[in-house]
Coordinates of all heavy atoms in Angstrom, one line a residue:
M22 N -28.3 0.1 -20.7 CA -28.3 -1.0 -19.8 C -26.9 -1.5 -19.3 O -26.7 -1.7 -18.1 CB -28.9 -2.3 -20.5 CG -29.1 -3.5 -19.6 SD -30.2 -3.1 -18.3 CE -30.4 -4.7 -17.7
K23 N -25.9 -1.3 -20.2 CA -24.5 -1.6 -19.9 C -24.0 -0.6 -18.8 O -23.2 -1.0 -17.8 CB -23.6 -1.5 -21.1 CG -23.7 -2.7 -22.0 CD -22.8 -2.6 -23.2 CE -22.9 -3.8 -24.1 NZ -21.9 -3.7 -25.1
S24 N -24.4 0.6 -18.8 CA -23.9 1.6 -17.8 C -24.5 1.2 -16.5 O -23.8 1.4 -15.5 CB -24.3 3.0 -18.3 OG -25.6 3.2 -18.4
I25 N -25.7 0.8 -16.4 CA -26.3 0.4 -15.1 C -25.5 -0.8 -14.6 O -25.2 -0.8 -13.3 CB -27.8 0.0 -15.3 CG1 -28.6 1.3 -15.7 CG2 -28.5 -0.6 -14.0 CD1 -30.0 1.1 -16.1
V26 N -25.3 -1.8 -15.3 CA -24.5 -2.9 -15.0 C -23.1 -2.5 -14.4 O -22.6 -3.0 -13.3 CB -24.4 -4.0 -16.1 CG1 -23.5 -5.1 -15.6 CG2 -25.8 -4.5 -16.3
S27 N -22.5 -1.6 -15.2 CA -21.1 -1.1 -14.8 C -21.2 -0.4 -13.5 O -20.3 -0.6 -12.7 CB -20.6 -0.2 -15.9 OG -20.4 -0.9 -17.1
L28 N -22.2 0.4 -13.3 CA -22.3 1.1 -12.0 C -22.6 0.1 -10.9 O -22.0 0.4 -9.8 CB -23.4 2.2 -12.1 CG -23.1 3.4 -12.9 CD1 -24.5 4.3 -13.1 CD2 -22.0 4.2 -12.4
A29 N -23.4 -0.8 -11.2 CA -23.7 -1.8 -10.0 C -22.3 -2.5 -9.7 O -22.1 -2.7 -8.5 CB -24.7 -2.8 -10.5
L30 N -21.6 -3.0 -10.7 CA -20.3 -3.6 -10.4 C -19.3 -2.7 -9.6 O -18.7 -3.1 -8.7 CB -19.7 -4.1 -11.7 CG -20.4 -5.3 -12.3 CD1 -19.8 -5.6 -13.7 CD2 -20.4 -6.5 -11.5
L31 N -19.3 -1.4 -10.0 CA -18.5 -0.5 -9.3 C -18.8 -0.3 -8.0 O -18.1 -0.3 -7.0 CB -18.5 0.9 -10.1 CG -17.6 2.0 -9.5 CD1 -16.2 1.6 -9.5 CD2 -17.8 3.3 -10.2
A32 N -20.2 -0.2 -7.7 CA -20.7 -0.1 -6.3 C -20.3 -1.4 -5.5 O -20.0 -1.3 -4.3 CB -22.2 0.1 -6.3
L33 N -20.3 -2.4 -6.0 CA -20.0 -3.7 -5.3 C -18.5 -3.7 -5.0 O -18.0 -4.3 -4.1 CB -20.3 -5.0 -6.1 CG -21.8 -5.2 -6.2 CD1 -22.1 -6.4 -7.2 CD2 -22.4 -5.5 -4.9
A34 N -17.7 -3.1 -5.9 CA -16.2 -3.2 -5.8 C -15.7 -2.2 -4.7 O -14.7 -2.4 -4.1 CB -15.5 -2.9 -7.1
L35 N -16.4 -1.1 -4.5 CA -15.9 -0.1 -3.6 C -15.7 -0.6 -2.2 O -14.7 -0.4 -1.6 CB -17.0 1.2 -3.6 CG -16.9 1.9 -4.9 CD1 -17.8 3.1 -4.8 CD2 -15.4 2.4 -5.1
P36 N -16.7 -1.4 -1.6 CA -16.5 -1.9 -0.3 C -15.2 -2.8 -0.2 O -14.5 -2.9 0.8 CB -17.7 -2.7 0.1 CG -18.8 -2.1 -0.7 CD -18.0 -1.6 -2.0
L37 N -15.0 -3.6 -1.3 CA -13.8 -4.4 -1.3 C -12.6 -3.6 -1.3 O -11.6 -3.9 -0.6 CB -13.9 -5.4 -2.5 CG -14.8 -6.5 -2.6 CD1 -14.8 -7.2 -3.8 CD2 -14.7 -7.4 -1.4
Q38 N -12.6 -2.5 -2.1 CA -11.4 -1.6 -2.2 C -11.1 -1.1 -0.8 O -10.0 -0.9 -0.3 CB -11.6 -0.5 -3.2 CG -10.3 0.4 -3.4 CD -10.5 1.4 -4.4 OE1 -11.6 1.7 -4.8 NE2 -9.5 1.8 -4.9
A39 N -12.2 -0.6 -0.1 CA -12.1 0.0 1.3 C -11.5 -1.0 2.2 O -10.6 -0.7 3.0 CB -13.4 0.6 1.7
Q40 N -11.9 -2.3 2.1 CA -11.4 -3.3 3.0 C -10.0 -3.6 2.7 O -9.2 -3.8 3.6 CB -12.2 -4.6 2.8 CG -13.6 -4.6 3.3 CD -14.3 -6.0 3.0 OE1 -13.9 -6.7 2.2 NE2 -15.5 -6.0 3.6
D41 N -9.6 -3.6 1.4 CA -8.1 -3.8 1.1 C -7.3 -2.7 1.6 O -6.2 -2.9 2.1 CB -8.0 -3.8 -0.5 CG -8.6 -5.1 -1.1 OD1 -9.0 -6.0 -0.4 OD2 -8.9 -5.1 -2.3
L42 N -7.7 -1.4 1.5 CA -7.0 -0.3 2.1 C -6.9 -0.4 3.6 O -5.8 -0.2 4.2 CB -7.7 1.0 1.7 CG -7.5 1.5 0.4 CD1 -8.3 2.7 0.1 CD2 -6.0 1.7 0.0
Q43 N -8.0 -0.8 4.3 CA -7.9 -1.1 5.7 C -6.9 -2.2 6.0 O -6.2 -2.1 7.0 CB -9.3 -1.4 6.2 CG -9.5 -1.7 7.7 CD -9.2 -0.5 8.5 OE1 -9.2 0.6 8.0 NE2 -9.2 -0.7 9.8
R44 N -7.0 -3.2 5.3 CA -6.1 -4.4 5.4 C -4.6 -4.0 5.3 O -3.8 -4.3 6.1 CB -6.4 -5.5 4.6 CG -5.4 -6.7 4.7 CD -5.8 -7.9 3.9 NE -5.7 -7.7 2.5 CZ -5.8 -8.6 1.6 NH1 -6.1 -9.9 1.9 NH2 -5.6 -8.3 0.4
G45 N -4.4 -3.1 4.3 CA -3.0 -2.6 4.1 C -2.6 -1.7 5.3 O -1.4 -1.9 5.7
R46 N -3.4 -0.9 5.8 CA -3.0 -0.1 7.0 C -2.8 -1.0 8.1 O -1.7 -0.8 8.8 CB -4.2 0.9 7.3 CG -3.8 1.7 8.5 CD -5.0 2.7 8.8 NE -6.1 2.0 9.3 CZ -6.3 1.5 10.6 NH1 -5.2 1.7 11.5 NH2 -7.4 1.0 11.0
L47 N -3.6 -2.0 8.4 CA -3.4 -2.9 9.5 C -2.1 -3.7 9.4 O -1.4 -3.8 10.3 CB -4.6 -3.8 9.6 CG -4.6 -4.8 10.8 CD1 -4.6 -4.0 12.2 CD2 -5.9 -5.6 10.8
L48 N -1.9 -4.3 8.2 CA -0.6 -5.0 8.0 C 0.6 -4.1 8.2 O 1.5 -4.5 8.9 CB -0.6 -5.5 6.5 CG -1.6 -6.7 6.2 CD1 -1.6 -7.0 4.7 CD2 -1.1 -7.9 7.0
Y49 N 0.5 -2.8 7.7 CA 1.7 -1.9 7.8 C 1.9 -1.6 9.3 O 3.0 -1.7 9.8 CB 1.4 -0.7 7.1 CG 2.5 0.4 7.3 CD1 3.7 0.3 6.6 CD2 2.3 1.4 8.1 CE1 4.7 1.1 6.9 CE2 3.3 2.3 8.4 CZ 4.5 2.2 7.7 OH 5.5 3.1 8.0
E50 N 0.8 -1.2 10.0 CA 1.0 -0.9 11.4 C 1.4 -2.1 12.3 O 2.2 -2.0 13.2 CB -0.4 -0.4 12.0 CG -0.7 0.9 11.4 CD -2.0 1.5 11.8 OE1 -2.8 0.8 12.5 OE2 -2.4 2.7 11.5
T51 N 1.1 -3.3 11.9 CA 1.4 -4.5 12.7 C 2.8 -4.9 12.4 O 3.5 -5.3 13.3 CB 0.4 -5.7 12.3 OG1 -0.9 -5.2 12.7 CG2 0.7 -6.9 13.2
H52 N 3.3 -5.0 11.1 CA 4.5 -5.5 10.8 C 5.6 -4.6 10.4 O 6.8 -5.0 10.3 CB 4.2 -6.5 9.6 CG 3.3 -7.6 10.0 ND1 3.6 -8.6 10.9 CD2 2.1 -7.8 9.6 CE1 2.6 -9.4 11.0 NE2 1.6 -9.0 10.2
C53 N 5.3 -3.3 10.0 CA 6.3 -2.4 9.5 C 6.6 -1.2 10.3 O 7.7 -0.8 10.5 CB 5.8 -2.0 8.1 SG 5.3 -3.3 7.0
A54 N 5.5 -0.6 10.9 CA 5.7 0.6 11.5 C 6.5 0.6 12.7 O 7.0 1.6 13.2 CB 4.3 1.3 11.8
T55 N 6.8 -0.5 13.4 CA 7.4 -0.6 14.6 C 8.9 -0.4 14.3 O 9.6 0.1 15.3 CB 7.3 -2.0 15.3 OG1 7.6 -3.1 14.3 CG2 5.8 -2.3 15.8
C56 N 9.4 -0.7 13.1 CA 10.9 -0.5 12.9 C 11.2 0.8 12.3 O 12.3 1.3 12.4 CB 11.3 -1.6 11.8 SG 11.3 -3.2 12.5
H57 N 10.2 1.6 11.8 CA 10.5 2.9 11.3 C 9.2 3.7 11.5 O 8.2 3.3 11.3 CB 11.1 2.9 9.9 CG 10.1 2.2 8.9 ND1 9.1 2.7 8.4 CD2 10.3 0.9 8.4 CE1 8.5 1.8 7.5 NE2 9.2 0.7 7.5
G58 N 9.5 5.0 11.7 CA 8.4 5.9 12.0 C 7.9 6.7 10.7 O 8.4 6.4 9.6
E59 N 7.2 7.6 11.0 CA 6.5 8.4 9.9 C 7.5 9.2 9.1 O 7.4 9.4 7.9 CB 5.5 9.4 10.4 CG 4.2 8.7 11.0 CD 3.4 7.8 9.9 OE1 3.2 8.4 8.8 OE2 3.3 6.7 10.2
K60 N 8.7 9.6 9.7 CA 9.6 10.3 9.0 C 10.3 9.6 7.9 O 10.7 10.3 6.9 CB 10.7 10.8 10.0 CG 10.2 11.8 10.9 CD 11.4 12.3 11.9 CE 10.8 13.2 12.9 NZ 11.9 13.7 13.8
L61 N 10.3 8.3 7.9 CA 10.9 7.5 6.8 C 10.2 7.8 5.5 O 10.8 7.9 4.5 CB 10.8 6.0 7.2 CG 11.3 5.1 6.0 CD1 12.8 5.2 6.0 CD2 10.9 3.8 6.2
H62 N 8.9 8.0 5.6 CA 8.1 8.1 4.3 C 8.1 9.6 3.9 O 7.5 9.9 2.9 CB 6.7 7.6 4.6 CG 6.7 6.2 4.9 ND1 7.0 5.2 4.0 CD2 6.3 5.6 6.1 CE1 6.9 4.1 4.7 NE2 6.5 4.3 5.9
Q63 N 8.7 10.5 4.7 CA 8.5 12.0 4.3 C 10.0 12.6 3.9 O 10.1 13.7 4.1 CB 7.9 12.8 5.5 CG 6.5 12.3 5.6 CD 5.8 12.8 6.8 OE1 6.5 13.6 7.6 NE2 4.5 12.6 7.0
R64 N 10.9 11.7 3.7 CA 12.3 12.2 3.4 C 12.3 12.9 2.1 O 11.6 12.6 1.2 CB 13.2 11.0 3.3 CG 13.4 10.3 4.6 CD 14.3 9.1 4.4 NE 13.8 8.2 3.6 CZ 14.4 7.1 3.1 NH1 15.6 6.9 3.4 NH2 13.8 6.3 2.2
D65 N 13.1 13.9 2.0 CA 13.3 14.7 0.7 C 14.0 13.9 -0.3 O 13.7 14.0 -1.5 CB 14.1 15.9 1.0 CG 13.3 16.9 1.9 OD1 12.2 16.9 1.8 OD2 14.0 17.8 2.5
K66 N 14.9 13.0 0.1 CA 15.7 12.2 -0.9 C 15.2 10.8 -1.0 O 15.8 9.8 -1.0 CB 17.1 12.1 -0.4 CG 17.8 13.5 -0.5 CD 19.2 13.5 0.0 CE 19.7 14.8 0.0 NZ 21.1 14.8 0.4
T67 N 13.8 10.6 -1.1 CA 13.2 9.3 -1.2 C 13.6 8.7 -2.5 O 13.6 9.3 -3.5 CB 11.7 9.5 -1.0 OG1 11.1 8.1 -1.1 CG2 11.0 10.3 -2.1
V68 N 13.6 7.4 -2.5 CA 13.9 6.6 -3.7 C 12.5 6.3 -4.4 O 12.5 5.8 -5.5 CB 14.6 5.3 -3.5 CG1 16.0 5.6 -2.9 CG2 13.9 4.4 -2.6
V69 N 11.4 6.6 -3.7 CA 10.1 6.2 -4.2 C 9.7 7.4 -5.1 O 9.3 8.5 -4.6 CB 9.1 6.0 -3.1 CG1 7.7 5.8 -3.7 CG2 9.6 4.8 -2.4
K70 N 9.6 7.2 -6.4 CA 9.1 8.2 -7.3 C 7.9 7.9 -8.1 O 7.3 8.6 -8.9 CB 10.2 8.5 -8.3 CG 11.6 9.0 -7.7 CD 11.5 10.3 -7.1 CE 12.9 10.8 -6.7 NZ 12.9 11.7 -5.6
S71 N 7.6 6.5 -8.0 CA 6.5 6.0 -8.8 C 5.9 4.9 -8.0 O 6.4 4.4 -7.0 CB 7.0 5.5 -10.1 OG 7.7 4.3 -10.0
M72 N 4.7 4.3 -8.4 CA 4.0 3.2 -7.8 C 4.9 2.0 -7.9 O 5.0 1.2 -7.1 CB 2.6 3.0 -8.3 CG 1.6 3.8 -7.8 SD 1.4 3.7 -6.0 CE 1.0 2.0 -5.7
A73 N 5.6 1.9 -9.1 CA 6.5 0.7 -9.2 C 7.6 0.8 -8.3 O 8.0 -0.2 -7.6 CB 7.1 0.7 -10.7
D74 N 8.1 2.0 -7.9 CA 9.2 2.1 -6.9 C 8.7 1.7 -5.6 O 9.3 1.1 -4.7 CB 9.7 3.5 -6.8 CG 10.5 4.0 -8.1 OD1 10.9 3.1 -8.8 OD2 10.6 5.2 -8.2
L75 N 7.5 2.2 -5.3 CA 6.8 1.9 -3.9 C 6.7 0.5 -3.8 O 7.0 -0.2 -2.7 CB 5.5 2.7 -3.8 CG 4.8 2.6 -2.5 CD1 5.7 2.8 -1.3 CD2 3.5 3.5 -2.4
R76 N 6.1 -0.2 -4.8 CA 6.0 -1.7 -4.8 C 7.2 -2.4 -4.5 O 7.3 -3.4 -3.8 CB 5.2 -2.2 -6.0 CG 3.7 -1.8 -6.1 CD 3.1 -2.3 -7.4 NE 1.7 -1.9 -7.5 CZ 1.2 -0.9 -8.2 NH1 2.2 -0.3 -9.1 NH2 0.1 -0.5 -8.2
D77 N 8.2 -1.9 -5.3 CA 9.6 -2.6 -5.1 C 10.1 -2.5 -3.7 O 10.7 -3.4 -3.1 CB 10.6 -1.9 -6.0 CG 10.3 -2.3 -7.5 OD1 9.6 -3.3 -7.8 OD2 10.9 -1.6 -8.4
Q78 N 9.9 -1.3 -3.2 CA 10.4 -1.1 -1.7 C 9.6 -1.9 -0.7 O 10.2 -2.4 0.2 CB 10.3 0.5 -1.3 CG 11.3 1.3 -2.0 CD 12.7 0.9 -1.7 OE1 13.1 0.7 -0.5 NE2 13.5 0.7 -2.6
V79 N 8.3 -2.1 -0.9 CA 7.4 -2.9 0.1 C 8.0 -4.3 -0.1 O 8.2 -5.0 0.9 CB 6.0 -2.8 -0.4 CG1 5.2 -3.8 0.4 CG2 5.5 -1.4 0.0
V80 N 8.2 -4.9 -1.3 CA 8.7 -6.2 -1.5 C 10.1 -6.3 -0.9 O 10.4 -7.4 -0.2 CB 8.7 -6.6 -3.0 CG1 9.4 -7.9 -3.2 CG2 7.2 -6.7 -3.5
R81 N 10.9 -5.4 -1.2 CA 12.3 -5.5 -0.7 C 12.3 -5.6 0.8 O 13.0 -6.4 1.4 CB 13.0 -4.1 -1.1 CG 14.4 -4.1 -0.6 CD 15.1 -2.8 -1.1 NE 16.4 -2.7 -0.5 CZ 16.6 -1.7 0.5 NH1 15.7 -0.9 0.8 NH2 17.8 -1.6 1.0
W82 N 11.6 -4.7 1.5 CA 11.6 -4.7 2.9 C 10.9 -6.0 3.5 O 11.3 -6.5 4.5 CB 11.1 -3.5 3.5 CG 12.1 -2.4 3.4 CD1 12.1 -1.3 2.5 CD2 13.3 -2.3 4.1 NE1 13.3 -0.6 2.5 CE2 14.0 -1.2 3.5 CE3 13.9 -3.0 5.1 CZ2 15.3 -0.7 4.1 CZ3 15.2 -2.5 5.5 CH2 15.8 -1.5 5.0
A83 N 10.0 -6.5 2.9 CA 9.3 -7.8 3.3 C 10.3 -8.9 3.2 O 10.4 -9.7 4.2 CB 8.0 -8.0 2.5
L84 N 11.0 -8.9 2.1 CA 12.0 -10.0 2.0 C 13.2 -9.8 3.1 O 13.6 -10.8 3.6 CB 12.7 -10.0 0.6 CG 11.8 -10.4 -0.5 CD1 12.3 -10.1 -1.8 CD2 11.3 -11.8 -0.4
Q85 N 13.6 -8.6 3.2 CA 14.7 -8.3 4.2 C 14.3 -8.7 5.6 O 15.1 -9.1 6.3 CB 15.1 -6.8 4.1 CG 16.4 -6.6 4.9 CD 17.2 -5.4 4.3 OE1 16.8 -4.8 3.3 NE2 18.3 -5.1 4.9
T86 N 13.0 -8.5 5.9 CA 12.6 -8.8 7.3 C 12.1 -10.2 7.4 O 11.6 -10.5 8.5 CB 11.5 -7.8 7.7 OG1 10.4 -7.8 6.9 CG2 12.1 -6.4 7.9
K87 N 12.1 -10.9 6.3 CA 11.7 -12.3 6.2 C 10.1 -12.4 6.6 O 9.7 -13.4 7.1 CB 12.5 -13.2 7.2 CG 14.0 -13.2 6.7 CD 14.7 -14.2 7.6 CE 16.1 -14.4 7.1 NZ 16.9 -13.3 6.6
R88 N 9.4 -11.4 6.2 CA 7.9 -11.4 6.4 C 7.3 -12.2 5.1 O 7.8 -12.0 4.1 CB 7.3 -10.0 6.4 CG 7.8 -9.3 7.6 CD 6.9 -9.6 8.8 NE 7.3 -8.8 10.0 CZ 7.3 -9.2 11.2 NH1 6.8 -10.4 11.4 NH2 7.7 -8.4 12.2
T89 N 6.4 -13.0 5.3 CA 5.7 -13.7 4.3 C 4.4 -13.0 4.1 O 3.4 -13.2 4.9 CB 5.5 -15.1 4.7 OG1 6.8 -15.7 4.9 CG2 5.0 -15.9 3.5
F90 N 4.3 -12.3 3.0 CA 3.0 -11.7 2.6 C 2.5 -12.3 1.2 O 3.4 -12.6 0.4 CB 3.1 -10.2 2.6 CG 3.4 -9.4 3.8 CD1 4.8 -8.8 3.9 CD2 2.4 -9.3 4.8 CE1 5.0 -8.2 5.0 CE2 2.8 -8.6 5.9 CZ 4.1 -8.1 6.1
S91 N 1.2 -12.3 1.0 CA 0.7 -12.7 -0.3 C 0.9 -11.5 -1.2 O 1.1 -10.4 -0.8 CB -0.8 -13.0 -0.2 OG -1.5 -11.9 0.0
P92 N 0.9 -11.7 -2.5 CA 1.0 -10.7 -3.4 C -0.1 -9.6 -3.2 O 0.1 -8.4 -3.3 CB 0.8 -11.3 -4.8 CG 1.4 -12.7 -4.6 CD 1.0 -13.0 -3.2
D93 N -1.4 -10.1 -2.9 CA -2.4 -9.1 -2.5 C -2.1 -8.2 -1.3 O -2.4 -7.1 -1.3 CB -3.7 -9.9 -2.4 CG -4.3 -10.3 -3.7 OD1 -3.9 -9.9 -4.7 OD2 -5.2 -11.3 -3.6
E94 N -1.5 -8.9 -0.3 CA -1.2 -8.1 0.9 C -0.1 -7.1 0.6 O -0.2 -6.0 1.1 CB -0.8 -9.1 1.9 CG -1.8 -9.9 2.5 CD -1.4 -11.0 3.5 OE1 -0.3 -11.6 3.3 OE2 -2.2 -11.3 4.4
L95 N 0.9 -7.4 -0.2 CA 2.0 -6.5 -0.5 C 1.3 -5.3 -1.2 O 1.7 -4.2 -1.1 CB 3.0 -7.2 -1.4 CG 3.8 -8.2 -0.7 CD1 4.6 -9.1 -1.6 CD2 4.8 -7.7 0.4
E96 N 0.5 -5.7 -2.2 CA -0.3 -4.5 -3.0 C -1.0 -3.7 -1.9 O -1.1 -2.5 -2.1 CB -1.1 -5.1 -4.1 CG -1.8 -4.1 -4.9 CD -0.9 -3.1 -5.6 OE1 0.3 -3.4 -5.9 OE2 -1.4 -2.0 -6.0
D97 N -1.7 -4.3 -1.0 CA -2.6 -3.6 -0.1 C -1.7 -2.6 0.8 O -2.0 -1.4 1.0 CB -3.3 -4.4 0.9 CG -4.4 -5.2 0.1 OD1 -4.7 -4.9 -1.0 OD2 -4.9 -6.2 0.6
I98 N -0.5 -3.1 1.2 CA 0.5 -2.2 1.9 C 0.9 -1.1 1.0 O 0.9 0.1 1.5 CB 1.6 -3.1 2.4 CG1 1.1 -4.2 3.5 CG2 2.7 -2.1 3.1 CD1 2.2 -5.2 3.8
A99 N 1.3 -1.4 -0.2 CA 1.7 -0.3 -1.1 C 0.7 0.7 -1.3 O 0.9 1.9 -1.3 CB 2.2 -0.9 -2.4
Q100 N -0.5 0.2 -1.6 CA -1.7 1.2 -1.7 C -1.9 2.0 -0.5 O -2.3 3.2 -0.6 CB -3.0 0.4 -2.2 CG -2.8 -0.2 -3.5 CD -2.7 0.9 -4.6 OE1 -3.2 2.0 -4.4 NE2 -2.1 0.4 -5.7
H101 N -1.9 1.4 0.7 CA -2.0 2.1 1.9 C -1.0 3.3 2.0 O -1.2 4.4 2.3 CB -1.9 1.2 3.1 CG -1.6 2.1 4.4 ND1 -2.5 2.9 5.0 CD2 -0.5 2.0 5.2 CE1 -1.9 3.4 6.1 NE2 -0.7 2.9 6.2
L102 N 0.3 2.9 1.8 CA 1.4 3.9 1.9 C 1.2 5.0 0.8 O 1.5 6.2 1.1 CB 2.8 3.2 1.7 CG 3.2 2.4 2.9 CD1 4.4 1.6 2.5 CD2 3.5 3.3 4.1
N103 N 0.8 4.7 -0.4 CA 0.5 5.7 -1.3 C -0.6 6.7 -0.9 O -0.5 7.8 -1.1 CB 0.1 5.1 -2.7 CG 0.0 6.0 -3.8 OD1 0.9 7.0 -3.9 ND2 -1.0 6.0 -4.7
R104 N -1.7 6.1 -0.4 CA -2.8 6.9 0.1 C -2.4 7.8 1.2 O -2.7 9.0 1.3 CB -4.0 6.0 0.3 CG -5.2 6.8 0.7 CD -6.4 5.8 0.8 NE -7.6 6.5 1.2 CZ -8.6 6.6 0.4 NH1 -8.6 6.2 -0.8 NH2 -9.6 7.4 0.8
S105 N -1.7 7.2 2.2 CA -1.4 7.9 3.3 C -0.2 8.7 3.4 O 0.0 9.8 4.1 CB -1.2 6.9 4.6 OG -0.1 6.1 4.3
H106 N 0.8 8.5 2.4 CA 2.0 9.3 2.5 C 2.4 9.8 1.1 O 2.8 11.0 0.9 CB 3.2 8.4 2.9 CG 3.0 8.1 4.4 ND1 2.3 7.0 4.8 CD2 3.5 8.7 5.5 CE1 2.3 7.0 6.1 NE2 3.0 7.9 6.6
Y107 N 2.6 8.9 0.0 CA 3.1 9.4 -1.1 C 2.3 10.0 -2.2 O 2.8 10.9 -2.9 CB 3.8 8.1 -1.8 CG 4.9 7.5 -0.9 CD1 4.7 6.5 0.0 CD2 6.2 8.0 -1.0 CE1 5.7 6.0 0.7 CE2 7.2 7.6 -0.2 CZ 7.0 6.5 0.6 OH 8.0 6.1 1.4
R108 N 1.0 9.6 -2.3 CA 0.2 10.2 -3.3 C 0.7 10.2 -4.7 O 0.7 11.3 -5.3 CB -0.3 11.6 -2.8 CG -0.8 11.6 -1.4 CD -1.6 12.9 -1.1 NE -2.0 13.1 0.3 CZ -2.7 12.3 1.1 NH1 -3.1 11.1 0.7 NH2 -2.9 12.5 2.4
L109 N 1.1 9.1 -5.1 CA 1.7 9.0 -6.5 C 0.5 8.7 -7.4 O -0.5 8.2 -7.1 CB 2.6 7.7 -6.6 CG 3.8 7.9 -5.6 CD1 4.6 6.5 -5.4 CD2 4.8 8.9 -6.0
M110 N 0.8 9.0 -8.7 CA -0.1 8.6 -9.7 C -0.2 7.1 -9.9 O 0.9 6.5 -9.7 CB 0.2 9.2 -11.0 CG 0.3 10.8 -11.0 SD -1.3 11.5 -10.6 CE -2.2 11.2 -11.9
K111 N -1.3 6.5 -10.1 CA -1.4 5.1 -10.3 C -0.8 4.6 -11.6 O -0.5 5.0 -12.5 CB -2.8 4.6 -10.1 CG -3.3 5.1 -8.7 CD -4.2 4.1 -8.1 CE -4.6 4.7 -6.8 NZ -4.9 3.9 -5.8

């Protein structure tokens, strides 16, 4: 019975996760992509080596550009960048 409940909860969470990734992409394209292109994320000498590094960079640039994002929005942007460019372990 517990496995059925777990599967049901997982199925309910999947659409939310997809919405969060979509929101991360939209936030990135609206507020971030205009200042730097795709090449920024594909540099050989990137400082991003882990999800923690990626989160730090997202926060750093949000602060530097004086953008006000919620913690969830910052995480959505980091997850979008991970999925679309970095493919780091979680």
Side-chain angles (χ1 to χ4, degrees):
M22 185 66 168
K23 286 184 180 180
S24 62
I25 293 173
V26 172
S27 296
L28 286 174
L30 290 174
L31 179 62
L33 291 172
L35 288 177
L37 289 176
Q38 184 179 21
Q40 286 176 354
D41 292 346
L42 287 172
Q43 179 71 6
R44 180 174 68 172
R46 182 181 67 78
L47 185 59
L48 287 167
Y49 176 81
E50 289 175 355
T51 302
H52 301 290
C53 309
T55 55
C56 292
H57 53 82
E59 294 298 309
K60 289 182 182 181
L61 177 74
H62 302 293
Q63 298 173 356
R64 296 179 298 174
D65 291 334
K66 296 180 182 180
T67 183
V68 298
V69 176
K70 306 287 187 204
S71 67
M72 278 304 296
D74 293 342
L75 181 54
R76 288 180 182 106
D77 289 346
Q78 288 297 309
V79 169
V80 169
R81 177 178 172 255
W82 285 105
L84 291 171
Q85 188 151 2
T86 60
K87 297 180 176 41
R88 297 277 181 208
T89 305
F90 295 110
S91 72
D93 288 341
E94 290 171 330
L95 292 168
E96 180 64 17
D97 292 344
I98 294 168
Q100 290 297 330
H101 160 70
L102 288 171
N103 186 44
R104 186 177 176 108
S105 64
H106 294 86
Y107 294 98
R108 304 199 193 300
L109 301 164
M110 301 300 289
K111 300 216 180 210

